Amino acid sequence: MKLIAKSGSSKTEWMIVEGTHLIDSAVSEGLNPFFQNRRDISRSIRLGLPSVFFKRKLETVYFYGAGCSSAEKKDIMKSSLIAQFRTPAEVESDLWAAARGLFIDRTGIACILGTGSNSCLYDGNEIVENVKAAGYILGDEGSFVALGKMFLSDVLKGFAPDGLTDAFYRENGLDSHAIMANVYDLPFPHRFLMLTADFLAGYTDDRYVHALIMQNLRNFFTRNVCRYEYGKYPVRFVGKMAVRYADMLRDVAGEFNIAIDRIQESPMKGLIEYHAGKNALSP
């Protein structure tokens, strides 16, 4: 049996599989070694999963996660996984999860639009090109975090419609000082930005909100997808942002003469198929 996990900033999906057969599954909070140390990650795993997950005889744990892009961060995650499950563990970034989950052994441009964003050209075996995501401060165009930043900036500078600003403050119990504190002083600012973007989901009929979302998506294509020779390959998307605004995403893609091949929330189905035919990761 193998344990396959895919973690974003908001949640982690865990699947125990035998071949392509699902044995058990669970969802816990998001894990990210950029924001959590080894002790925090180990505690989250232990408290977030049913006890049966620690009693199964596992062959390997395959973990894909946001923030797992450098050797240092992978080692933090790997050490926590080995300590909790007492079995070998392999750790890769969430971009590898998107590439393998969306394309398995085929070539294409894999895109993530969720809390954060990323993209790559995958040749069916390797990630051969990657426009750096650059994180929630310098990049993540098209994501919930980027949308939240755009909206909060407009709120603070008076560009957002007054009625929408008032509704945001009222529904979330916030004011301008609380916004600044959540972004600059409190832990996990990316989660606050994501929750801000969730507020906008209830106002997509508003002309301002619709235009803001469309511009956010255009930013992703301009600064990411268009950096590849996108006309030669299928383009697929994974992530909650992509699914939530799938119609707008396809409209924006059309502006760039791109026909999106697939949009799905999670890459897990493809990852299970990928690992059913692989005995080890070989990035």
Side-chain angles (χ1 to χ4, degrees):
M1 283 185 292
K2 301 171 183 176
L3 175 57
I4 303 173
K6 159 62 178 70
S7 184
S9 295
S10 57
K11 70 175 182 179
T12 305
E13 300 175 78
W14 304 84
M15 303 279 184
I16 296 177
V17 297
E18 186 75 61
T20 58
H21 180 61
L22 179 63
I23 305 298
D24 215 334
S25 66
V27 176
S28 67
E29 68 178 3
L31 302 172
N32 191 321
F34 264 102
F35 301 105
Q36 297 164 290
N37 59 34
R38 177 182 168 180
R39 179 180 297 178
D40 293 334
I41 292 170
S42 293
R43 183 176 184 275
S44 179
I45 292 172
R46 178 59 61 174
L47 297 179
L49 290 176
S51 60
V52 67
F53 272 68
F54 306 102
K55 298 175 182 177
R56 298 279 191 183
K57 185 173 177 57
L58 298 172
E59 177 185 324
T60 309
V61 177
Y62 296 102
F63 184 93
Y64 297 88
C68 297
S69 54
S70 70
E72 176 192 0
K73 301 305 182 185
K74 288 180 185 178
D75 285 344
I76 292 172
M77 184 62 68
K78 186 175 181 178
S79 296
S80 297
L81 293 167
I82 292 173
Q84 296 307 310
F85 295 104
R86 308 293 180 184
T87 192
E90 298 287 348
V91 177
E92 292 296 341
S93 71
D94 56 347
L95 188 58
W96 277 99
R100 289 172 171 166
L102 288 169
F103 291 101
I104 304 176
D105 59 358
R106 294 177 290 278
T107 300
I109 296 172
C111 303
I112 300 172
L113 279 186
T115 302
S117 70
N118 209 340
S119 64
C120 70
L121 174 60
Y122 176 68
D123 69 0
N125 185 51
E126 303 281 347
I127 291 176
V128 294
E129 292 183 45
N130 169 226
V131 178
K132 295 296 183 184
Y136 74 97
I137 294 176
L138 299 177
D140 278 346
E141 300 91 354
S143 69
F144 283 125
V145 163
L147 181 62
K149 284 200 305 181
M150 292 167 69
F151 176 62
L152 291 180
S153 179
D154 280 2
V155 166
L156 294 174
K157 292 179 180 292
F159 288 104
D162 290 341
L164 189 65
T165 296
D166 291 342
F168 175 70
Y169 282 150
R170 183 176 62 254
E171 291 182 27
N172 294 282
L174 297 169
D175 58 19
S176 61
H177 300 292
I179 288 175
M180 297 295 286
N182 273 280
V183 173
Y184 292 105
D185 298 331
L186 299 179
F188 304 113
H190 59 296
R191 292 182 182 176
F192 174 70
L193 294 170
M194 181 187 68
L195 292 174
T196 298
D198 279 344
F199 162 81
L200 296 174
Y203 293 87
T204 53
D205 289 338
D206 182 278
R207 181 182 301 177
Y208 161 82
V209 173
H210 185 273
L212 196 71
I213 295 169
M214 292 287 282
Q215 185 57 53
N216 187 36
L217 296 173
R218 286 189 192 101
N219 291 344
F220 180 78
F221 279 88
T222 300
R223 298 179 65 82
N224 295 276
V225 180
C226 290
R227 299 293 303 280
Y228 309 104
E229 294 184 271
Y230 60 86
K232 295 183 177 180
Y233 310 104
V235 179
R236 297 178 180 177
F237 281 79
V238 67
K240 191 173 181 180
M241 177 80 178
V243 170
R244 177 176 292 177
Y245 300 115
D247 289 342
M248 281 188 255
L249 182 61
R250 293 188 189 280
D251 287 344
V252 171
E255 295 175 6
F256 295 87
N257 295 315
I258 295 172
I260 298 175
D261 192 53
R262 183 184 302 170
I263 300 173
Q264 59 193 62
E265 184 168 338
S266 170
M268 188 58 79
K269 182 179 178 180
L271 285 175
I272 292 173
E273 184 178 343
Y274 174 86
H275 284 291
K278 298 285 185 179
N279 291 323
L281 294 177
S282 54

